[in-house]
Every structure is written in C-alpha cells, then in structure tokens.
Amino acid sequence: MSTTTDLTLADLDLFAGGAPWGVFDELRATPGLHYSTEEAPNSGFWSATRYHDIVRILRDTETFTSTKFTNLEEVDPAMQDQRRSLLETDGLRHRALRRMLQGEFTPQAVAKYETFLRGITAKTLDAALAKKEFDFVEEVSADFPIRVLARLLGVPDSDTGQLIEWGNRMVGNTDPEHADVLIGSADSDEYKHVPFRSPAAIEVYEYGKHLAAERRGKGGTDLITLLADGVPSDGQPLSEHEFNTNFLLLVVAGNETTRHTITHSMKNLLDNPSQLEILRNDPSLIPWAVEEFLRYASPVYHFRRTATKDVEFSDTQISEGEKVVVWFASGNRDSAIFDDPYRFDVTRNPNEHMSFGRGGPHMCLGNALARIELRIMFEDLLTRDVTLERAGDLDYLRSNFVHGIKRMPVRVA
C-alpha cells in the first residue's frame, strides 16, 4: 500500500475494486489532514477522513463553503451560475430552495407512498426471482428506486430506462464503460457548462424543460410542477438554469444512492449469513438494520468544500481557496465512533453514520425516502421463502465519488 506521503485520493485506480478501506485507515491514523495532488487543471485538495473532523467542516459553512462547488472538478467561475444547484448554495438561498422541496420528503410525506412502494417492490422481486439467475443490480437495485422516482416526477414507467441510462452516463463520468466523454479529457471542455461535464446532462435538461412546459400553471402535485411553479421563501423564483440543475439533481440523487445501497446491502447480507438469519428470524429488526445497511454501504464517498479564508484546522494550515474534501466512507469506519467498525452488525446501536451527511445544512434531503425504500425492499425480500447466492464476481464503478456496483450476478439457490 502507498504511504500517506505519496498516495493521492484522486487516483481512480485506488477505487477499482471498491472502497480503499486500508488507505482510509492509514489516513485516519495520521495526524492532520492529508493533501492529494491532482493533474492540471485541478490543483489538489485536503482530505478530512476522521468522523469528528468531517462533522466540524460540514457545520461550519462560513469557513468551508459549498458555493465553489462540491465535487473535485474546479468549475470555471464563468460557468458556476449555470451549473449551480441546491448542493452548491449556502445561507439564505440554500434555505429557501430547501424549504421549497423539503415538504415532499419529510417522514410524514413519504409514508403516504408505503402501499405504492410495496406494490412496486413485489413487482420488481417477482420478475427478478422468476429468472432464477440474474444481475441483482439490473433487475432489482436499479429497477426499484427508478420506478419510485418516476412516480414522484409524474412520468411513465416507460421512461425509466432512459432515466437510468442518463444517471449511469453522468455519475459514471470517470468510468469508460458509462462515460460519453471522460471528465478530465480534452473533449470534456465542450461540456464544461453542464454538471458532470456530460452530454447526458444536456439531454436531461431538455427532458425537464419539455415536462415543465406541459405542467406549468396547471396545479399539479408532482416534483416537476413544484420546481416549475414554486417560489422559494426568499421570493426569488427559480431561473432557467436553477430549474435545469435542480431537476437534474432530483434525477441523479433520487436514484443513484438508493440503488447502490440496495446492492451493497444484499452483498453484505450474503457475505454475513448470521446477520441475514437474524433478520429472517425477526423481520421487526429490519427498520433499524437499515442504518447499518447505510453505514456499511457508504454509497457516496465524498463531497467537497472550499476554504473561504486562511484557517488552521486539525493541525493543518489551509489557505483561502483550497479544496477540502470530506470522506463519508472513511468516517463510517472510524473506530473512535464505531466499535469494531468492520463488523457488519444489523443490531448495532447507536449508529450515527454519515451516509446522509452528519450535521450542517446540507443533510441529504431525501433521507426519509431512502430509508423507507430500503426498509420495504428488505422486508419483502427477506420474508420470502427464497435464498440467493452469488453467481459471479462484482464489477465496481470506476469512481472516487460514488461507491457503486455495476453488476452483481446472483442465483436462486
């Protein structure tokens, strides 16, 4: 393994086989923040890998801002307003945009979808399990959350395949299998005005604009109508750019993280049959087990902040304008917080994981929806008289942003 002085978390090869847990362990054990170099035009970044450091950064938005963007790409200042979504705002505008959407994502709001979710889950699992041998990602993990998203957006199930493809192309912008144009390549400059530098983003924009034009002013209750007709609490309506970027955010965030958590959780249960048996014997434990599913999966590796001033933090001198990256996956394996952190324990309590963030104003807006989706999926799957087993190797997404599994062959044993 590389030493802390020469490794860089910008190296995608570190993530070729999933999370580099050993690297995170080494970085947490090393005082201060770690500095990773990057290839031009990016300029490198500091990494916070310890749980408490991550929480402090997330809570201090005055010192560590999201407004300079939240991924590793250093977006051209002239393009920032065109690409800015809820994720890349702070302060009053962030609160206004969040309030406009959050009513649709409270625990009480998503609870009304339970009957619908159970119906989709049953349909997804019935179709998959009838095949006896199948790719769990394609038939279950990707199929289920995208159908939920289609319902929230008010679009037909026939559009779900296209929504999945768009998500793959954008989130997989560092994976040659999925990317139209690999980010960082010279060709990607053509798309520097859109998220992920992906031509798929332009297609998502056009799709969203068409739907908004159909629904604007008609009093619908779907998320597209909310974006098209809603006025944030600061009284400033969404610009065309803000509609585009926040619609795209819903398409990506409403599918990708839940999808990968479902896959990781099934893998982790198959790898830990004693924990699987605990939940089969007592399904009432599944709602709490969802928290361990989320901790162990850590579907989003990191988000970025930018220092707004020179600051000394965790024995590290950080200069104004430098990138500071919080690694949620590492925080979720911090032994200072989690006893025996590499033990998959569905009864772990407490379980203050940071898979949705932890503290601060940018806590994942859709966390209640993700939790109910995970609960219902595994309540159905684990109470069926069926046993799955792995039928081939996993194929991980080549990414240091999303801890994704592209394929997981399984068979009905």
Side-chain angles (χ1 to χ4, degrees):
M1 184 176 66
S2 300
T3 66
T4 55
T5 57
D6 62 16
L7 70 84
T8 171
L9 291 174
D11 181 5
L12 296 174
D13 289 341
L14 284 177
F15 301 81
W21 299 117
V23 170
F24 289 143
D25 291 344
E26 185 180 2
L27 294 180
R28 283 195 307 275
T30 304
L33 304 189
H34 173 265
Y35 193 78
S36 288
T37 58
E38 293 182 277
E39 294 183 2
N42 285 354
S43 57
F45 55 89
W46 294 103
S47 286
T49 54
R50 288 179 290 275
Y51 186 101
H52 287 306
D53 284 347
I54 294 168
V55 171
R56 286 173 59 201
I57 289 167
L58 294 177
R59 288 179 175 172
D60 186 359
T61 60
E62 291 189 5
T63 305
F64 301 104
T65 182
S66 298
T67 61
K68 301 301 181 182
F69 283 70
T70 57
N71 52 22
L72 295 180
E73 179 194 357
E74 292 168 25
V75 177
D76 184 334
M79 302 294 171
Q80 288 182 5
D81 284 344
Q82 293 185 49
R83 289 182 52 171
R84 192 179 309 283
S85 73
L86 175 69
L87 288 180
E88 293 87 24
T89 60
D90 279 327
L92 292 174
R93 186 58 174 169
H94 178 265
R95 288 195 290 274
L97 290 171
R98 190 176 177 96
R99 284 173 184 156
M100 187 177 77
L101 293 168
Q102 68 185 7
E104 300 301 311
F105 293 100
T106 65
Q108 295 80 9
V110 300
K112 67 186 179 186
Y113 295 117
E114 178 149 352
T115 300
F116 163 71
L117 291 171
R118 290 197 182 280
I120 291 182
T121 305
K123 183 177 180 181
T124 295
L125 291 175
D126 287 347
L129 296 172
K131 297 185 178 183
K132 305 304 181 186
E133 188 164 329
F134 56 94
D135 175 15
F136 191 85
V137 175
E138 179 180 0
E139 302 295 338
V140 178
S141 305
D143 184 77
F144 171 56
I146 204 68
R147 290 181 185 275
V148 178
L149 178 64
R151 169 67 177 266
L152 295 175
L153 297 176
V155 301
D157 276 357
S158 58
D159 287 3
T160 57
Q162 182 64 75
L163 291 168
I164 290 172
E165 185 202 25
W166 282 328
N168 286 343
R169 288 162 60 197
M170 290 186 290
V171 172
N173 66 346
T174 54
D175 188 317
E177 179 180 348
H178 288 318
D180 302 279
V181 179
L182 286 171
I183 193 166
S185 68
D187 291 341
S188 73
D189 282 349
E190 181 181 348
Y191 303 102
K192 64 183 180 181
H193 61 294
V194 293
F196 302 102
R197 289 197 173 206
S198 172
I202 299 172
E203 296 169 30
V204 172
Y205 283 0
E206 291 303 315
Y207 179 74
K209 282 190 242 182
H210 172 73
L211 293 170
E214 287 183 338
R215 300 180 192 182
R216 191 169 279 116
K218 296 184 178 177
T221 59
D222 58 273
L223 290 177
I224 295 168
T225 300
L226 182 60
L227 283 177
D229 288 346
V231 177
S233 58
D234 62 358
Q236 180 183 339
L238 269 67
S239 67
E240 180 180 353
H241 290 314
E242 285 178 312
F243 175 87
N244 289 340
T245 56
N246 285 290
F247 174 70
L248 184 145
L249 175 63
L250 290 173
V251 168
V252 173
N255 171 47
E256 288 291 328
T257 52
T258 306
R259 160 187 171 176
H260 294 305
T261 302
I262 290 171
T263 307
H264 279 288
S265 300
M266 190 70 252
K267 169 193 176 294
N268 294 330
L269 288 167
L270 294 177
D271 290 347
N272 296 273
S274 65
Q275 300 300 298
L276 176 60
E277 195 62 22
I278 287 172
L279 298 181
R280 284 195 183 279
N281 290 336
D282 187 357
S284 70
L285 296 174
I286 291 174
W288 184 251
V290 163
E291 303 308 312
E292 183 72 343
F293 294 171
L294 287 158
R295 182 189 77 88
Y296 220 74
S298 296
V300 176
Y301 282 125
H302 75 258
F303 271 114
R304 161 199 159 191
R305 300 292 184 260
T306 303
T308 61
K309 59 185 177 183
D310 294 350
V311 61
E312 184 175 340
F313 181 91
S314 190
D315 299 322
T316 302
Q317 189 62 45
I318 301 170
S319 298
E320 179 182 352
E322 288 191 310
K323 295 186 292 187
V324 181
V325 177
V326 290
W327 292 88
F328 302 121
S330 178
N332 277 338
R333 295 295 191 278
D334 191 337
S335 61
I337 303 299
F338 304 101
D339 181 48
D340 194 2
Y342 288 96
R343 185 182 77 248
F344 180 65
D345 180 1
V346 296
T347 63
R348 182 182 296 275
N349 192 1
N351 197 340
E352 298 292 326
H353 65 80
M354 49 178 45
S355 293
F356 294 128
R358 175 57 60 182
H362 285 272
M363 182 81 169
C364 174
L365 187 66
N367 71 85
L369 178 62
R371 284 181 164 108
I372 195 173
E373 288 181 282
L374 290 163
R375 172 173 66 80
I376 288 173
M377 169 57 68
F378 286 96
E379 283 177 346
D380 189 326
L381 181 55
L382 299 186
T383 55
R384 291 183 180 230
D385 186 19
V386 63
T387 300
L388 295 179
E389 63 184 18
R390 299 260 293 274
D393 294 334
L394 299 180
D395 189 4
Y396 284 92
L397 185 69
R398 184 177 182 268
S399 173
N400 61 2
F401 174 48
V402 170
H403 186 199
I405 297 175
K406 295 189 289 187
R407 280 172 285 274
M408 187 173 77
V410 297
R411 69 172 63 91
V412 179

